[in-house]
Amino acid sequence: MKVLKFGGSSLRDGTSMLRVGEIVAAEKEEKVVVVSAIQGITDSLLRFMSAVRKEEEVQVFVKELRERHLKILAEVASTMPVKQQAVAQLNARLVRLERTLYGITYLEELTPRTKDLVQSFGERMSVIVMSAMLQDMGVNAVPVEADELGIMTDGTFGSATVDMERTRVNAAPSIRDMFKRQEVPVVTGFFGKGPEGVITLLGRNGTDYSASVIANAIDADTLEIWKDVDGFMSADPKVVPGAVPIGYLSYEEAAELAYFGAKVLHPRTVEPARAKSITIRVKNVFKPHVEGSAIRPQGVENAQTVKSISFMSNMTMLKVYGAGLGSRSGVMLEISELLSNANVNIYSAATSQTGISLLIEEGELKRAEKALAGAKRGVIDRIELVKDIALLCLVGEGLGTREGVAAKVFTIVASLGVNIQLISAGASTVALHFTVNGKDLEKTTRTIHQVFFEA
């Protein structure tokens, strides 16, 4: 039993969608297909509803969405009954979307609830087109919407967490019944349904996570994540031309890379798969016969230990100062809660007697400053900012326990005349994190890669 996930970059037009159809049709075992919206659709929905609009703009926008989906449908399906059914299904979704957009336009108000609902329509439409194409290829595909299937979440708008127990109870029997009818479920990724029945998104690019949740629910043997890349690489090929593919990763290695900048996988994809020891394979839709990267429970230690270098640019260091800050109980908890309530993520932290250094994304700086203004009087005396910071993450099985690896890395960095500002080691046995100035990111990454992989 297998789950196959396809992202928007694989669904940008009729040609690319037909390539996906060939991959699905060639897979003979029981399978569930999980798809994102057609490339660019979610962004267009977000842009449209984020600005004040006139009534006639809604009509034009919905018409453009209809035309794009119908154009792709015409390119991938030729059987008239199949196309007619798909058109009727698309029209029904578009009517609902249009009414929702009119409501936003009339009220001139966009709530988190409505924002999540509108963004879900990209996936609702893509599964219809995908299913029609597969039916035309002789695959008994059926479009399935995540909220109807019973993908349940904690109700957090924008970045919800799936309630696995409730989802398993809801989704597994429905999918098994479909298998008995020899149907192939084509399921919407990216969203689920909160406790009160409202739509909640699983975070940007959350379809990877959706697919992993479904794989867990049905006890799949394998989860295939199909991308437009060969899998995980030893570094970003755009920065390091000599980057090489990685054949095998442990769950922890993949999770660290995904969290700290590697765009190959959504950071939360690993969790549901790890709970059931499901192998994750990241494969290239343009090279279906290439093995790609396999993510599995057992780690494999390389001779040079370091397997990959990921990074996050455009970071900011928040230096929070206060008298005796490091020795006051509860201060770090208070600061963390303030930032968490403002949806600001802390990527690394270090404390001293007089201050705390916090690493956050530059785009979240204004929210962070506003949140920390609410700290108890006397706790924070002042805040200093260090901008244009980059966070590097080196990952490899045994990296945290093998002697001399960290020293070798820091010797390389020192030889470049690059200053390291914040180091995080010990939180994970497979990762080492440190920060450098943004201007030093590329040369630092390339040199470390050259020493460990190309020497």
Side-chain angles (χ1 to χ4, degrees), residues 234-257:
S234 57
D236 185 343
K238 295 177 183 176
V239 175
V240 181
V244 296
I246 304 173
Y248 297 98
L249 290 162
S250 68
Y251 290 135
E252 191 171 359
E253 288 173 323
E256 292 286 346
L257 287 172

Side-chain angles (χ1 to χ4, degrees), residues 66-345:
R66 178 183 286 108
E67 288 175 350
R68 183 169 181 197
H69 286 82
L70 291 181
K71 180 178 184 297
I72 295 176
L73 177 63
E75 294 170 347
V76 301
S78 59
T79 308
M80 189 54 64
V82 169
K83 291 173 67 174
Q84 289 175 336
Q85 182 183 38
V87 170
Q89 292 170 335
L90 283 170
N91 285 338
R93 304 306 181 278
L94 287 163
V95 166
R96 185 182 173 197
L97 172 62
E98 188 173 46
R99 289 172 178 169
T100 306
L101 293 177
Y102 276 135
I104 296 170
T105 302
Y106 293 148
L107 296 174
E108 294 186 1
E109 180 181 16
L110 180 61
T111 64
R113 173 175 176 166
T114 307
K115 189 176 181 180
D116 278 19
L117 173 61
V118 169
Q119 289 181 82
S120 75
F121 279 90
E123 278 70 18
R124 294 182 196 276
M125 291 185 288
S126 69
V127 294
I128 294 169
V129 179
M130 172 72 79
S131 297
M133 176 192 66
L134 291 173
Q135 289 167 22
D136 208 56
M137 291 179 164
V139 177
N140 190 19
V142 178
V144 181
E145 298 184 344
D147 46 338
E148 296 299 323
L149 183 63
I151 305 295
M152 306 301 297
T153 76
D154 62 0
T156 303
F157 293 113
S159 186
T161 298
V162 171
D163 183 331
M164 273 309 317
E165 291 304 317
R166 293 183 66 196
T167 295
R168 189 177 297 111
V169 169
N170 292 339
S174 297
I175 291 174
R176 291 194 187 102
D177 286 344
M178 293 182 74
F179 285 161
K180 289 177 183 177
R181 296 192 296 268
Q182 297 185 321
E183 295 173 342
V184 175
V186 181
V187 185
T188 56
F190 188 44
F191 68 92
K193 182 168 60 175
E196 297 179 359
V198 298
I199 300 304
T200 50
L201 302 185
L202 303 181
R204 192 67 174 168
N205 301 316
T207 302
D208 289 354
Y209 182 32
S210 298
S212 186
V213 164
I214 292 171
N216 176 300
I218 65 173
D219 295 313
D221 302 305
T222 306
L223 166 61
E224 291 183 352
I225 306 290
W226 289 85
K227 302 277 185 176
D228 55 0
V229 295
D230 289 342
F232 281 94
M233 305 287 286
S234 57
D236 185 343
K238 295 177 183 176
V239 175
V240 181
V244 296
I246 304 173
Y248 297 98
L249 290 162
S250 68
Y251 290 135
E252 191 171 359
E253 288 173 323
E256 292 286 346
L257 287 172
Y259 184 68
F260 289 104
K263 305 299 184 184
V264 177
L265 207 63
H266 188 281
R268 288 194 288 177
T269 306
V270 171
E271 300 165 17
R274 174 161 42 190
K276 292 289 185 73
S277 297
I278 298 167
T279 297
I280 304 172
R281 289 195 174 275
V282 182
K283 304 193 67 174
N284 191 336
V285 72
F286 298 101
K287 305 174 186 176
H289 300 297
V290 174
E291 285 298 316
S293 299
I295 303 164
R296 56 192 188 184
Q298 299 81 19
V300 178
E301 189 171 340
N302 284 356
Q304 75 271 25
T305 304
V306 176
K307 277 187 186 173
S308 185
I309 308 165
S310 64
F311 59 80
M312 299 181 70
S313 55
N314 301 317
M315 306 294 284
T316 293
M317 187 96 68
L318 279 174
K319 293 191 173 184
V320 182
Y321 292 100
L325 201 63
S327 59
R328 292 187 188 182
S329 62
V331 172
M332 189 63 183
L333 175 62
E334 181 182 354
I335 291 174
S336 298
E337 286 183 340
L338 287 170
L339 293 175
S340 176
N341 291 337
N343 293 318
V344 175
N345 190 31

